[in-house]
Amino acid sequence: MSLIKDKINSENLPKHVAIIMDGNGRWAKSRGEERTFGHKNAINAVRNAINACNEINIPYLTLYTFSSENWNRPSEEVNTLMNLLVETLLLEAAEIFSKGLRMHVIGNLEKLPTLVREQLLRVVELTKENTKGNLVLAISYGSQNEILEAVKNISSDVKEGKVDVENIDEKLFENYLYTKDFPPVDLLIRTSGEIRISNFLLWQIAYAELQFLNVLWPDFTKDIFFQCILDYQNKERRYGLTGDQIQGQ
């Protein structure tokens, strides 16, 4: 039983939490190991995040699994990450399904190796009827590319007469993003002590609370997640209004 979890107000939960899982390489280096050792030991942290969300009924969790910039890393590390992704999906698919979670994937999937893409889509298909929560994996994902693709697609639809320029607003734009079926991010967590967004969900985090943790990703626990939720609940989310206006609503 977690004493931190018991303090959480179930009436004031974020609908969508996103996590930048950072610090695997430094975690491994601190133990005299290669970076790939850190990636392999990060699976428990992923389980902790998923299980924590499931336990307190947060409906959407997005994990920054592999960025579009990560393709520029050494080929050995990229290959290890891709192989690890397939192995993890094979091991965890039954658990994800049994929890009633629906898995989604966002990003440029065409760049992924065929086996990785097929395995991802297999789990997406397997879980498509699940309704107890949503696990979103951002893979080969870059927010700037996502936004540019949305602009191109809107422009194309304007040319074809499908969209009137005067009708382009935030809601229409969001319908062209990978995340069109998801709520905006309420809480963004980044581990490892780095204080930056790294091209992750730039549009979607417009009004998110941001938490930067001095914890390396393999050391991430459920209690750390629950503490992030408590910290979130202690914030006043004003969306451009004053505190008095929020209190009067």
Side-chain angles (χ1 to χ4, degrees), residues 1-248:
M1 184 67 68
S2 169
L3 296 178
I4 299 175
K5 175 185 170 183
D6 292 342
K7 297 177 183 177
I8 292 174
N9 176 5
S10 61
E11 302 299 318
N12 181 27
L13 292 170
K15 292 181 181 177
H16 190 171
V17 176
I19 303 179
I20 300 174
M21 306 179 292
D22 193 19
N24 293 347
R26 274 167 285 171
W27 185 89
K29 186 176 180 181
S30 71
R31 288 158 173 77
E33 301 284 352
E34 297 294 325
R35 292 175 56 84
T36 52
F37 180 76
H39 299 314
K40 292 174 181 177
N41 281 274
I43 304 306
N44 279 336
V46 172
R47 291 192 191 109
N48 288 336
I50 294 171
N51 290 336
C53 272
N54 195 50
E55 286 179 22
I56 60 176
N57 298 314
I58 291 176
Y60 288 86
L61 172 66
T62 298
L63 301 177
Y64 204 3
T65 308
F66 190 87
S67 77
S68 53
E69 289 76 24
N70 286 156
W71 290 113
N72 298 319
R73 290 188 174 187
S75 58
E76 180 184 355
E77 183 174 353
V78 171
N79 291 336
T80 296
L81 283 166
M82 290 296 111
N83 291 333
L84 185 59
L85 180 57
V86 171
E87 292 172 13
T88 302
L89 286 169
L90 287 170
L91 290 171
E92 303 295 330
E95 174 115 3
I96 292 170
F97 182 80
S98 68
K99 290 184 187 307
L101 301 178
R102 181 177 180 181
M103 197 178 88
H104 311 261
V105 185
I106 60 173
N108 183 0
L109 303 189
E110 294 304 313
K111 291 193 71 172
L112 294 171
T114 301
L115 179 61
V116 176
R117 184 169 62 251
E118 289 177 350
Q119 185 63 23
L120 283 167
L121 297 179
R122 187 186 75 83
V123 180
V124 168
E125 179 66 20
L126 175 70
T127 62
K128 69 178 182 180
E129 303 297 331
N130 288 355
T131 59
K132 290 185 179 178
N134 296 271
L135 172 62
V136 185
L137 302 184
I139 300 176
S140 189
Y141 173 85
S143 188
Q144 290 177 329
N145 287 339
E146 177 189 23
I147 291 170
L148 285 173
E149 284 302 312
V151 171
K152 290 176 183 177
N153 290 331
I154 292 172
S155 299
S156 177
D157 284 350
V158 168
K159 285 182 180 179
E160 295 178 14
K162 297 177 181 177
V163 172
D164 190 322
V165 171
E166 299 302 319
N167 293 330
I168 298 175
D169 57 13
E170 289 92 340
K171 184 61 179 176
L172 184 143
F173 186 82
E174 286 170 357
N175 285 331
Y176 285 81
L177 297 175
Y178 294 138
T179 54
K180 63 182 179 180
D181 297 321
F182 313 147
V185 175
D186 296 307
L187 172 62
L188 173 69
I189 300 168
R190 180 175 187 144
T191 57
S192 88
E194 300 291 354
I195 305 176
R196 56 176 177 267
I197 304 303
S198 294
N199 198 18
F200 184 45
L201 299 174
L202 299 176
W203 177 278
Q204 297 86 343
I205 63 169
Y207 279 100
E209 298 297 329
L210 310 181
Q211 294 193 28
F212 300 98
L213 308 179
N214 287 312
V215 138
L216 300 176
W217 178 245
D219 293 326
F220 189 85
T221 66
K222 287 197 294 183
D223 272 351
I224 291 173
F225 183 90
F226 293 144
Q227 185 61 54
C228 287
I229 300 302
L230 278 179
D231 292 343
Y232 166 88
Q233 293 184 335
N234 288 325
K235 300 287 180 64
E236 183 178 67
R237 307 190 72 208
R238 295 195 294 270
Y239 299 98
L241 302 178
T242 67
D244 289 341
Q245 286 176 303
I246 295 296
Q247 295 296 325

